[in-house]
Structure formats: structure tokens, C-alpha cells
Amino acid sequence: MTVMKRQFYKNHKPNGDEYMFHLARDTESGEVYVIRQADYVVDGGSEKTMTLYEFLAGGGDRQNALLQLIGELVPESAQQH
């Protein structure tokens, strides 16, 4: 399995923790999903995957960043209907 991913949001916490969100696609199955990577200073890191539906249901800055990325996939010169 090969996973292609693109970071669309990064959040730094005051304690040094960092959260990165990636839009990911499994190149074999075609499945598209979100990966949340957390770099915990004290406890080490963690990774969570979630469907686009699960992720977008939360609302907020992270979700808006993903929607902006999706919107950028349609070029300005795209055909209008």
C-alpha cells in the first residue's frame, strides 16, 4: 500500500506540542481520508486517520483549511456552467 499525502494545516501549542493534518490517498484502493499527526513533546507522537465526513463534521480552522485546499484543485480557468 502506498499513501500519498499533502499537509494542509499545522498547529503549534504553547507547550511545544504540534499537530499536523494531511489529506491522504491510498494509491491502490483510491480511498481518500485525513491523517492527524500529533508530535507530543512529553509522550512521543500519535497518528489518527478519519474519513473526510468525520473530519469535516467538526467545523473550525482545520476544516476550513481543507476546504480551501479542495477549492484550489479547480483552476481559475475551469469551464463555467
Side-chain angles (χ1 to χ4, degrees), residues 63-73:
Q63 289 77 7
N64 289 337
L66 177 56
L67 291 172
Q68 181 179 351
L69 173 63
I70 292 169
E72 291 171 4
L73 297 175

Side-chain angles (χ1 to χ4, degrees), residues 2 14 17 22 30-31 34-35 39 43 45 51-52 55 59 61-63 65 69 71 76 79 81:
T2 302
D17 288 349
H22 297 87
E31 180 184 6
V34 171
I35 298 174
D39 180 17
D43 299 327
T51 67
L52 292 176
F55 180 75
D61 292 340
R62 297 179 295 258
Q63 289 77 7
L69 173 63
E76 298 269 338
Q79 186 177 19
H81 289 276

Side-chain angles (χ1 to χ4, degrees), residues 11-62:
N11 189 10
H12 300 280
K13 297 290 184 180
N15 66 355
D17 288 349
E18 217 174 48
Y19 296 87
M20 293 158 284
F21 291 83
H22 297 87
L23 181 61
R25 182 174 57 87
D26 180 323
T27 59
E28 292 176 23
S29 70
E31 180 184 6
V32 177
Y33 51 95
V34 171
I35 298 174
R36 182 197 75 178
Q37 287 182 297
D39 180 17
Y40 298 113
V41 173
V42 176
D43 299 327
S46 73
E47 186 172 291
K48 177 182 179 182
T49 62
M50 58 196 96
T51 67
L52 292 176
Y53 178 79
E54 291 170 323
F55 180 75
L56 290 171
D61 292 340
R62 297 179 295 258

